């Protein structure tokens, strides 16, 4: 214990100083302002933590700094919003996505077939690329003709802003259904399946060596079959599912939206790792450049699809009650009336923003912690962080664990985006801001340390919220009568300053490993 | 005399480039029937347009060059490089517009600011290495971007609309004296490139390459690596500031997008297309990038950025040495050195 | 008696370095074979090549009648090869128990092997809840060997088991390896000729990336000239 103290003396001193600063900062405030600010700090910290935790998991095991994490956070928010506000679009998109996945998930079969084909290496390379390109081209052809109901960015009354606003007022607009016009349904479904299967086969042919030991049994067909079934069901019962979702309680819709956001993150993460990150493990700098580039590309895609203007994600019913005994003063009132705010220490606290988000953050912290400490996969992750080769030499497929961890990390980011969006709204800059916060949190806490990610995120959240609060009420500077009001740009600036100071004293961060 | 000729042969490529680019506006003018005299008098719309495109390319090339010196030669991957460019651009704009300073005073101010900035970055250099440096630079640059975008500064920076209506001195006005502007930008680029070539070949430059290859070994040889890194940082910052200043003078408005991460990525993309650590790759890459971007935008509109993104990914995955690097590798087979470069910044040790 | 492992004229690379240039030997089932040679001769790389941790560009590695070269390491290991690497590679952030548990290939492996492992290394029982970092060199070596025993491995590759250990502990280690060799075949890399000669029945000498001699250990012990030539003074 004593040696532990000595080892971490610098970190402890820094923490004490930060605590003292926060204490001094809170001095000029009333108790209820302090409470609200601290709660908001926890809220911002929780969201930051979700992104930072994914980041640190990925970096710890894979050595990949996933700079696309901010964009993925943003994608989580936009995907979640789409499911929540425009379930019809979601159901329309579901069919093609499931069918494409079905085509690709037969990779074991493709690998087996590909290994039967004997070709000269050069011919194999050319043929596989031709197949991949042909498949993708066909896919693009079918997708552009596939009917998907979507908003119209150029027409205000059909823009995401209007849909959000109306849903927020409780007046859902149910948009007109789109029908198969440019392509027959059968051709569309077959086209999606065939084109994705062609490109999947091309990829399998390209990686022939890796798949030579795969065996085939009926289980390998289970997942593709389920995906295919799901896709076709979604297409056949499109109208029924859509109207059912529009009629659903917003609480359930919200849960579905969050789940879909997480799933899309997991899917995107797995796809990124297997196709783009994997070839670059021997070139770490290029991985960094790749994730950075993917982040910017993703941002442009989001802007092209959802537009640049800000819009809101209406909160679900459970958090929007105002009548009756609201703002609630006790738990019973809160639960009965679904109050949007509660009274705490004489101050009004928003339930979703300042209570729900921190609780979710803490739950995720505990769940991931248990996963890391108690499960076999967590054991493999902790061992792999130290020595990948040895883990592999024990007969464990580290690559699969890599993919899993990457998917999980990205899933956490998209989860964070979907969780934060009802509170912060959706803007194209949300990703960059959060990436910055998360990076700062990690640099402060220690890049590969999971508890460090939590501590750093909390500190970043608290400091940001205290600065914002002081932007409103002003800090009475000591020994003078001057009241200083930090302007909004100082909010991120203050956290960067903290990061620079911490890094100058402890290059490894507060809880990071010593170099 | 002998010295002179070796200078000519050594730098044949860039000198030919210089001559061709000087003649280009006149030659292109001929296609639309403008005599060289008319071009000299800044008439003829096609050649004027080509000059404009050229100026943009030269500015990008300067920016990419400074990035290549920092990243490709010395191995410092900064994700805040756009800040050097943007600070200079905004400073030029503000000094000319709001402060109404004399032009040469502005130049001096911008260069001074570039040195101060480089020194600011250098404060963290001795402590943080590799990935952490990248993060710190990203953090600092993001703060600058947020400040530029914030509504508090709208009077100075124009916030998200950008800084507009910068009064450019008449003698280099991109509207009336575009040919002069073109020649100045070209000369600056060529001069900078020649200087960089000399620098990389100099003993100081060699130490920088050694830092990239293995900083600890360079240290063990007795070099104070921090000083070398600071020097490189200052040179790089001055170059980027020059580019930023030209940008502010040439463009009708200074958009905040030059301060964000996307612009650093553009610089990275240019260096990547051309070839990391080759210097001339920055110029080749700037041409390739700008012309490609221009063509794509013309035919595809907004969705051009997807194609640009796809090209970025393809280069990262399949053409890691870039255009110049791949050609050189074919000629020299210097693969081991390149592989060392690729494994340069190991995220974790 | 058949050969459990055949290494046929392999050439291996680590990164771009051509380390093994024609290594060729066989390992009879149920024996201990020692790989001998000077520092940097390529003994460790030979072990790594068998497991696929070093890339074999030419030649064949045949384990239990199956060609394994070119397969990913985890698949080769899963066929039943245990690996005890040079510097033990104990997972520092895992407890001793977890270090053993992670080596399970099927659920319950550790419980089945528990008595066997603790009979071999009774000391480990006392440290089960300590973290990997807190162990001494000898304890780490025991743990590294025990870890290779958790799954049903028919072949154990042990690299430098005596390195950096006190003489008393080396004696203990020799006993342990002799005992476990009753269950599985062992390939041993050993600098200490005395240790190797006490344990091994067969030997292979590797010199500058090539296998130059092999045979019965007792013949080698008699041939002082050969020992002197390939291994220096012994």
């Amino acid at each position: 214990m004593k040696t532990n103290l000595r080892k971490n003396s610098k970190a402890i001193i820094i923490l004490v100083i930060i605590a003292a600063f926060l204490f001094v900062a809170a001095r000029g405030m009333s108790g209820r302002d302090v409470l609200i600010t601290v709660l908001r700090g926890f809220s911002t910290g929780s969201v930051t933590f979700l992104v930072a935790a994914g980041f640190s998991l990925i970096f710890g095991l894979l050595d990949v700094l996933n700079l696309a994490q901010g964009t993925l956070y943003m994608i989580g928010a936009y995907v979640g919003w789409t499911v929540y506000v425009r379930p019809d679009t979601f159901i329309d998109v579901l069919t093609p996505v499931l069918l494409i996945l079905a085509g690709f998930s037969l990779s074991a079969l493709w690998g087996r077939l590909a290994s039967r084909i004997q070709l000269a290496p050069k011919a194999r390379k050319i043929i596989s690329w031709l197949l991949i390109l042909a498949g993708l081209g066909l896919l693009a052809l079918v997708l552009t003709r596939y009917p998907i109901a979507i908003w119209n960015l150029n027409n205000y009354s059909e823009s995401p802003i209007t849909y959000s606003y109306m849903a927020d007022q409780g007046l859902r607009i149910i948009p007109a259904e789109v029908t198969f016009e440019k392509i027959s349904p059968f051709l569309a479904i077959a086209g999606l399946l065939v084109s994705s299967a062609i490109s999947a086969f091309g990829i399998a042919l390209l990686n022939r060596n890796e798949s030579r030991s795969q065996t085939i049994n009926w289980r390998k067909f289970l997942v593709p079959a389920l995906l295919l079934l799901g896709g076709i069901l979604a297409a056949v019962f499109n109208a029924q599912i859509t109207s059912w979702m529009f009629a659903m309680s917003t609480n359930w819709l919200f849960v579905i939206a969050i789940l879909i956001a997480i799933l899309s993150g997991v899917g995107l993460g797995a796809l990124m790792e297997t196709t783009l990150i994997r070839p670059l493990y021997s070139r770490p700098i290029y991985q960094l450049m790749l994730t950075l580039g993917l982040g910017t590309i993703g941002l442009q895609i989001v802007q092209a699809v959802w537009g640049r203007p800000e819009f809101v994600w209406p909160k679900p019913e459970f958090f929007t009650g105002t009548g009756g005994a609201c703002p609630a003063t006790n738990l019973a009132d809160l639960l009965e009336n679904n109050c949007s705010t509660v009274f705490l220490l004489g101050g009004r606290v928003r339930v979703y923003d300042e209570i729900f988000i921190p609780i979710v953050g803490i739950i995720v912290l505990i769940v991931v912690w248990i996963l890391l400490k108690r499960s076999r996969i967590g054991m493999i992750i902790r061992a792999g962080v130290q020595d990948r080769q040895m883990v592999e030499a024990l007969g464990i497929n580290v690559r699969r664990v890599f993919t899993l961890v990457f998917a999980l990390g990205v899933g956490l980011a998209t989860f964070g985006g979907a969780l934060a969006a009802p509170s912060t709204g959706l803007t194209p800059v949300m990703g960059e801001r959060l990436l910055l916060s998360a990076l700062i949190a990690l640099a402060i806490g220690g890049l590969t340390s999971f508890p460090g990610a939590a501590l750093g995120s909390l500190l970043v959240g608290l400091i940001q919220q205290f600065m914002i609060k002081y932007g409103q009420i002003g800090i009475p500077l000591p020994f003078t009568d001057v009241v200083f009001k930090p302007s909004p740009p100082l909010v991120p600036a203050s956290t960067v300053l903290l990061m620079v100071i911490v890094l100058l004293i402890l290059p490894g961060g507060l809880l990071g490993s010593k170099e | 005399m002998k010295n002179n000729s070796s200078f000519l042969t050594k730098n044949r490529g860039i000198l030919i480039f210089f001559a061709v680019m000087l003649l280009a506006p006149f030659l292109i003018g001929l296609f639309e029937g403008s005599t060289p005299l008319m071009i000299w008098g800044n008439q003829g719309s096609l050649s004027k347009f080509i000059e404009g495109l050229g100026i943009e390319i030269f500015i990008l090339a300067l920016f990419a060059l400074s990035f290549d010196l920092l990243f490709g030669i010395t191995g410092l991957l900064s994700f805040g490089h756009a800040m050097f460019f943007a600070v200079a651009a905004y400073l030029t704009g503000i000094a000319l517009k709001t402060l109404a300073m004399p032009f040469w005073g502005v130049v001096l101010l911008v260069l001074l600011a570039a040195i101060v900035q480089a020194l600011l970055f250098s404060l963290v250099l001795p402590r943080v290495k590799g990935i952490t440096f990248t993060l710190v630079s990203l953090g600092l640059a993001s703060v600058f971007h947020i400040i530029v975008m914030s509504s508090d500064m709208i009077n100075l920076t124009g916030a998200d609309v950008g800084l507009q209506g910068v009064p450019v001195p008449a003698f280099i006005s991109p509207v009336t004296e575009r040919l002069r502007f073109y020649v100045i930008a070209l000369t600056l680029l060529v001069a900078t490139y020649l200087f960089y070539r000399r620098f990389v070949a100099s003993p100081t430059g060699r130490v920088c390459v050694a830092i990239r290859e293995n900083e600890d070994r360079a240290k063990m040889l007795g070099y104070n690596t921090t000083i070398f890194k600071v020097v490189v940082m200052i040179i790089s910052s001055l170059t980027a500031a020059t580019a930023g200043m030209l940008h502010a003078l040439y463009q009708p408005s200074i958009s905040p997008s030059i301060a964000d991460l996307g612009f650093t990525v553009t610089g990275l993309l240019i260096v990547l297309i051309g070839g990391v650590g080759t210097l001339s790759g920055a110029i080749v890459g700037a041409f390739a990038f700008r012309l490609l971007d221009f063509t794509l935008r013309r035919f595809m509109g907004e969705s051009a950025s997807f194609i640009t993104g796809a090209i970025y990914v393809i280069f990262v995955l399949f053409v890691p040495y870039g255009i110049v690097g791949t050609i050189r590798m074919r000629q020299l087979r210097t693969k081991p050195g390149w592989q060392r470069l690729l494994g340069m910044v190991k995220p974790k040790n | 008696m058949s050969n459990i492992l055949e290494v046929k004229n392999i050439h291996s690379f680590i990164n771009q370095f051509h380390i093994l240039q024609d290594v060729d030997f066989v390992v009879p089932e149920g024996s201990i074979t020692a790989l001998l040679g000077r520092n940097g001769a390529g003994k460790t790389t030979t072990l790594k090549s068998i497991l696929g941790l070093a890339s074999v560009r030419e030649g064949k590695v045949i384990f239990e009648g199956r060609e394994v070269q070119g397969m990913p390491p985890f698949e080769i290991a899963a066929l039943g090869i245990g690996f005890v690497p040079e510097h033990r590679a104990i997972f520092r952030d895992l407890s001793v128990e977890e270090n053993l548990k992670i080596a399970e290939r099927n659920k319950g492996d550790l419980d089945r092997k528990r008595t066997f492992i603790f009979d071999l290394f009774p000391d480990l029982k006392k440290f089960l809840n300590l973290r990997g970092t807190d162990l001494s060199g000898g304890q780490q070596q025991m743990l590294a060997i025990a870890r290779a025993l958790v799954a049903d491995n028919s072949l154990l590759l042990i690299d430098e088991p005596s390195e950096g250990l006190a003489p008393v502990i080396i004696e203990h280690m020799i006993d342990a390896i002799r005992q476990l060799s009753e269950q599985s075949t062992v390939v041993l890399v050993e600098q200490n000729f005395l240790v190797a000669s006490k344990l091994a029945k067969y030997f292979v000498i590797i010199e500058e990336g090539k296998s130059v001699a092999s045979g019965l250990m007792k013949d080698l012990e008699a041939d002082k000239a050969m020992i002197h030539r390939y291994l220096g003074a012994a």
Side-chain angles (χ1 to χ4, degrees):
Chain A
M1 191 62 212
K2 214 171 191 176
T3 53
N4 242 345
L5 269 182
R6 191 166 303 147
K7 256 197 268 171
N8 296 319
S9 59
K10 273 187 182 169
I12 291 168
I13 291 169
I14 294 174
L15 277 180
V16 167
I17 292 174
I18 293 171
F21 261 109
L22 287 177
F23 178 74
V24 172
R27 198 181 34 114
M29 288 189 196
S30 61
R32 96 177 164 225
D33 278 351
V34 173
L35 177 78
I36 288 182
T37 313
V38 168
L39 282 178
R40 284 188 188 152
F42 268 88
S43 175
T44 315
S46 297
V47 173
T48 312
F49 166 72
L50 287 180
V51 176
F55 207 103
S56 110
L57 279 178
I58 294 173
F59 184 66
L61 181 66
L62 283 69
D63 272 1
V64 177
L65 210 52
N66 183 15
L67 292 173
Q69 199 80 340
T71 301
L72 291 161
Y73 163 84
M74 184 177 70
I75 289 175
Y78 280 85
V79 166
W81 175 90
T82 309
V83 176
Y84 187 81
V85 176
R86 289 291 305 271
D88 58 323
T89 309
F90 162 63
I91 297 297
D92 282 355
V93 173
L94 195 60
T95 305
V97 168
L98 289 180
L99 289 179
I100 293 170
L101 284 179
F104 275 93
S105 60
L106 279 167
S107 58
L109 181 67
W110 305 137
R112 188 58 173 254
L113 280 180
S115 66
R116 296 254 170 95
I117 297 177
Q118 294 298 329
L119 282 170
K122 202 151 201 178
R124 200 182 71 214
K125 215 170 180 180
I126 293 170
I127 290 175
S128 19
W129 277 111
L130 282 179
L131 282 174
I132 294 172
L133 288 179
L136 291 181
L138 190 59
L139 195 63
L141 197 71
V142 177
L143 274 184
T144 46
R145 275 147 212 272
Y146 195 89
I148 291 169
I150 197 167
W151 44 86
N152 184 352
L153 294 177
N154 301 318
N155 182 349
Y156 186 79
S157 65
E158 291 175 21
S159 70
I161 306 172
T162 309
Y163 284 112
S164 307
Y165 178 77
M166 296 306 273
D168 201 22
Q169 301 298 309
L171 310 161
R172 272 177 172 272
I173 311 172
I174 299 187
E177 231 181 280
V178 283
T179 48
F180 286 93
E181 276 166 9
K182 292 180 188 158
I183 190 166
S184 79
F186 174 75
L187 202 61
I189 288 176
L192 287 168
L193 262 180
V194 169
S195 57
S196 52
I198 290 176
S199 19
F201 184 70
I203 292 171
L205 198 61
L206 201 62
N207 304 330
R208 200 176 60 121
N209 289 341
E210 287 172 22
S211 49
R212 78 170 198 182
S213 52
Q214 273 173 344
T215 49
I216 303 250
N217 54 21
W218 64 272
R219 269 192 224 125
K220 293 253 158 86
F221 290 97
L222 192 64
V223 175
L226 281 178
L227 288 170
L228 182 64
L229 189 69
I232 291 174
L233 283 181
V236 172
F237 298 105
N238 187 313
Q240 286 86 335
I241 303 175
T242 304
S243 58
W244 175 68
M245 279 184 86
F246 270 119
M248 188 187 270
S249 132
T250 51
N251 295 333
W252 285 112
L253 202 54
F254 179 73
V255 172
I256 294 177
I258 295 268
L259 284 179
I260 295 297
I262 297 174
L263 275 181
S264 61
V266 169
L268 272 178
L271 191 72
M272 264 174 82
E273 203 276 337
T274 45
T275 57
L276 298 174
I277 307 280
R278 189 170 284 177
L280 294 176
Y281 279 114
S282 53
R283 296 188 262 150
I285 271 211
Y286 282 76
Q287 273 177 339
L288 203 62
M289 298 201 290
L290 186 77
T291 58
L292 183 70
L294 288 179
T296 13
I297 297 168
L299 179 67
Q300 277 158 354
I301 292 178
V302 167
Q303 285 181 349
V305 176
W306 283 275
R308 283 162 204 261
E310 252 175 76
F311 48 87
V312 294
W313 175 336
K315 283 175 194 156
E317 282 155 24
F318 189 74
F319 301 103
T320 49
T322 46
C326 291
T329 46
N330 57 50
L331 199 60
D333 279 353
L334 170 69
L335 292 179
E336 196 173 314
N337 297 299
N338 298 337
C339 290
S340 63
T341 54
V342 291
F343 270 121
L344 266 181
L345 289 181
R348 271 177 152 210
V349 176
R350 286 171 294 175
V351 175
Y352 184 86
D353 303 51
E354 280 121 36
I355 296 176
F356 180 66
I357 293 181
I359 289 176
V360 173
I362 291 167
I363 291 174
V364 171
L365 173 68
I366 294 169
V367 168
V368 177
W369 186 255
I370 290 174
L371 182 82
L372 272 179
K373 288 288 168 189
R374 291 274 172 271
S375 73
R376 179 167 171 83
I377 194 90
M379 204 155 74
I380 295 172
I381 292 172
R382 278 182 292 145
V385 167
Q386 182 199 327
D387 190 341
R388 263 168 267 168
Q389 272 204 344
M390 190 58 223
V391 175
E392 224 177 348
L394 290 174
I396 295 164
N397 187 349
V398 181
R399 282 208 164 166
R400 195 179 292 160
V401 180
F402 275 23
T403 310
L404 193 82
V405 167
F406 201 93
L408 184 74
V410 174
L412 280 175
T414 50
F415 181 28
L419 184 69
S423 145
T424 60
L426 297 99
T427 68
V429 293
M430 64 190 292
E432 194 191 336
R433 297 227 162 145
L434 209 91
L435 176 69
L436 182 64
S437 296
L439 284 179
I440 292 172
L442 279 175
I444 291 175
L447 273 178
T448 54
S449 153
F450 186 73
L455 179 68
S457 305
L458 182 61
L459 283 177
V460 167
L462 283 175
I463 287 170
Q464 281 182 358
Q465 291 302 331
F466 268 95
M467 291 300 281
I468 290 172
K469 192 75 198 169
Y470 274 116
Q472 294 157 0
I473 63 172
I475 306 175
L477 290 180
F479 313 118
T480 54
D481 296 333
V482 185
V483 174
F484 172 62
K485 281 192 177 179
S487 63
L490 281 179
V491 173
S494 60
T495 53
V496 171
L497 194 69
L498 178 70
M499 169 182 85
V500 172
I501 293 172
V502 168
L503 285 181
L504 286 181
I505 302 170
L506 288 167
L510 287 174
L511 302 180
S513 53
K514 315 270 175 308
E515 311 230 338
Chain B
M1 192 63 212
K2 194 185 165 208
N3 219 351
N4 203 3
S5 74
S6 82
F7 171 79
L8 283 178
T9 45
K10 250 197 239 158
N11 298 298
R12 200 171 44 200
I14 186 74
L15 293 175
I16 291 173
F17 167 77
F18 187 54
V20 168
M21 289 322 284
L22 269 184
L23 288 176
F26 298 98
L27 291 177
I28 284 162
L30 291 178
F31 283 100
E32 54 163 356
S34 324
T35 59
L37 216 63
M38 286 164 75
I39 308 289
W40 186 258
N42 281 299
Q43 287 157 331
S45 57
L46 180 67
S47 61
K48 215 168 167 183
F49 166 75
I50 293 292
E51 284 164 28
L53 200 59
I55 293 169
E56 282 175 25
I57 292 173
F58 301 151
I59 291 172
L60 282 175
L62 265 178
F63 176 63
L65 254 185
S66 68
F67 198 48
D68 199 24
L69 179 71
L70 206 59
F71 165 52
I73 304 291
T74 321
L76 290 169
L77 181 56
S78 160
F79 278 170
H81 202 66
M83 184 175 154
F84 290 152
F85 183 88
V87 166
Y90 271 98
L91 209 56
T92 311
I94 292 170
L96 283 174
K97 188 185 172 191
T98 315
L99 307 177
M101 282 173 65
F103 180 68
W104 294 108
V106 172
V107 173
L108 214 65
L109 178 74
V110 167
L111 295 182
L112 209 67
I115 295 176
V116 170
Q117 250 187 102
L119 290 176
L120 196 79
F121 264 78
S122 307
L123 278 181
V124 299
L125 274 180
R127 296 293 311 216
V128 297
K129 272 189 228 159
I131 227 74
T132 328
F133 172 75
T134 307
L135 292 187
V136 172
S137 61
L138 179 64
L140 290 175
S142 299
V143 170
F144 178 72
H145 184 220
I146 289 165
I147 290 176
V148 165
M149 291 279 279
S150 83
S151 49
D152 291 336
M153 313 287 276
I154 197 155
N155 290 329
L156 285 177
T157 64
D160 53 349
V161 182
L163 182 55
Q164 284 166 338
V166 176
V168 180
F171 74 100
I172 47 163
S173 157
V175 184
T176 56
E177 295 287 347
R178 185 169 287 186
L179 183 65
R180 187 179 284 165
F181 200 108
Y182 175 83
V183 173
I184 290 175
L186 175 62
T187 314
L188 276 173
L189 173 64
V190 170
T192 310
Y193 175 76
L194 287 174
F195 171 72
Y196 272 31
R197 285 278 300 262
R198 275 302 286 273
F199 178 80
V200 172
S202 75
T204 317
R206 300 220 175 276
V207 177
C208 292
V209 176
I211 291 175
R212 177 191 76 197
E213 299 281 324
N214 189 336
E215 182 169 356
D216 289 329
R217 207 177 295 163
K219 261 188 193 159
M220 269 183 262
L221 288 172
Y223 292 107
N224 184 345
T225 53
T226 310
I227 289 180
F228 287 92
K229 288 197 271 186
V230 172
V231 168
V232 166
M233 196 63 121
I234 290 176
I235 295 175
S236 171
S237 169
L238 283 174
T239 316
T242 311
M245 196 157 55
L246 287 174
H247 179 85
L249 294 173
Y250 175 71
Q251 295 290 353
S253 80
I254 305 165
S255 136
S257 68
I258 57 165
D260 72 6
L261 197 54
F263 195 63
T264 303
V265 176
T266 304
L268 198 56
L269 174 59
I270 292 174
V271 174
L272 199 64
I273 292 179
V276 180
T278 56
L279 292 185
S280 52
I283 300 176
V284 174
F287 267 89
F289 170 78
R290 191 67 190 88
L291 294 179
L292 189 82
D293 194 53
F294 175 77
T295 328
L296 286 175
R297 256 175 224 292
R298 185 142 191 196
F299 292 112
M300 308 184 53
E302 268 297 293
S303 46
S305 42
F306 303 144
I307 308 282
T308 321
I311 288 171
Y312 180 94
V313 171
I314 287 170
F315 263 82
V316 169
L317 284 175
F318 302 112
V319 200
Y321 312 118
I323 297 172
V324 175
T326 309
I327 294 172
R328 277 198 202 167
M329 240 184 36
R330 288 264 157 86
Q331 291 169 345
L332 290 171
R333 301 243 148 244
T334 50
K335 208 165 178 189
W338 275 99
Q339 275 170 347
R340 271 203 302 280
L341 167 67
L342 298 177
M344 193 163 54
V345 175
K346 292 254 162 60
K348 200 176 64 175
N349 280 318
Chain C
M1 196 161 56
S2 66
N3 294 328
I4 186 167
L5 177 77
E6 295 177 32
V7 174
K8 289 192 169 170
N9 305 87
I10 57 168
H11 289 245
S12 300
F13 285 72
I14 289 184
N15 297 325
Q16 72 269 40
F17 301 111
H18 192 167
I19 310 269
L20 296 190
Q21 312 169 8
D22 195 6
V23 169
D24 189 283
F25 64 91
V26 294
V27 176
E29 193 163 357
S31 65
I32 299 183
T33 303
L35 299 185
L36 305 171
R38 293 198 175 90
N39 264 334
K43 302 175 302 251
T44 299
T45 309
T46 306
L47 293 192
K48 286 191 169 170
S49 305
I50 296 169
L51 260 181
L53 293 171
S55 66
V56 180
R57 303 250 177 105
E58 264 177 65
K60 285 177 183 170
V61 178
I62 299 168
F63 174 66
E64 291 182 336
R66 195 171 161 182
E67 275 185 37
V68 298
Q69 79 278 6
M71 274 164 66
F74 75 91
E75 285 184 14
I76 301 178
L79 294 176
I81 301 182
F83 183 44
V84 182
E86 202 172 357
H87 301 290
R88 288 116 200 192
I90 295 302
F91 301 117
R92 290 188 295 267
D93 283 354
L94 270 57
S95 71
V96 170
E97 168 112 41
E98 285 174 322
N99 261 293
L100 294 173
K101 193 118 184 137
I102 196 172
E104 283 188 340
R105 242 166 253 148
N106 301 305
K107 242 187 152 55
D109 273 351
L110 180 57
D111 291 328
R112 277 189 298 115
K113 292 294 189 75
R114 209 173 272 266
T115 37
F116 174 67
I117 288 172
F118 291 149
D119 281 348
L120 218 52
F121 303 113
D123 281 4
L124 278 183
K125 223 186 247 173
K126 292 184 237 159
F127 309 125
L128 270 183
N129 293 318
L130 281 185
R131 292 213 307 170
T133 15
D134 302 332
L135 300 182
S136 72
Q139 292 159 350
Q140 285 192 10
Q141 188 66 63
M142 291 176 206
L143 179 55
I145 295 178
R147 186 175 57 186
L149 297 175
V150 171
D152 290 313
N153 291 320
S154 46
L155 177 67
L156 295 178
L157 309 176
I158 306 180
D159 200 350
E160 302 274 2
S162 73
E163 191 193 21
L165 300 184
V168 192
I169 302 175
I170 293 181
E171 285 302 321
H172 182 77
M173 206 61 71
I174 290 175
D175 284 345
I177 293 175
R178 197 173 282 144
Q179 268 187 58
L180 64 89
S181 72
E182 287 161 17
Q183 308 250 337
S184 26
T185 315
V186 174
V187 174
L188 189 72
V189 164
E190 186 53 74
Q191 280 286 329
N192 187 335
F193 184 69
L194 221 62
V195 174
S197 60
K198 273 189 193 170
L199 277 170
K201 186 172 175 198
Y202 303 96
F203 76 92
V204 177
I205 294 179
I206 295 176
E207 169 106 342
E208 290 179 353
K210 296 181 180 64
S211 48
V212 289
S214 59
L216 282 170
M217 193 55 135
K218 58 174 191 263
D219 297 340
L220 179 65
E221 278 177 278
D223 191 347
K224 294 288 180 224
M226 180 128 116
I227 294 177
H228 190 75
R229 189 160 141 218
Y230 288 120
L231 308 173

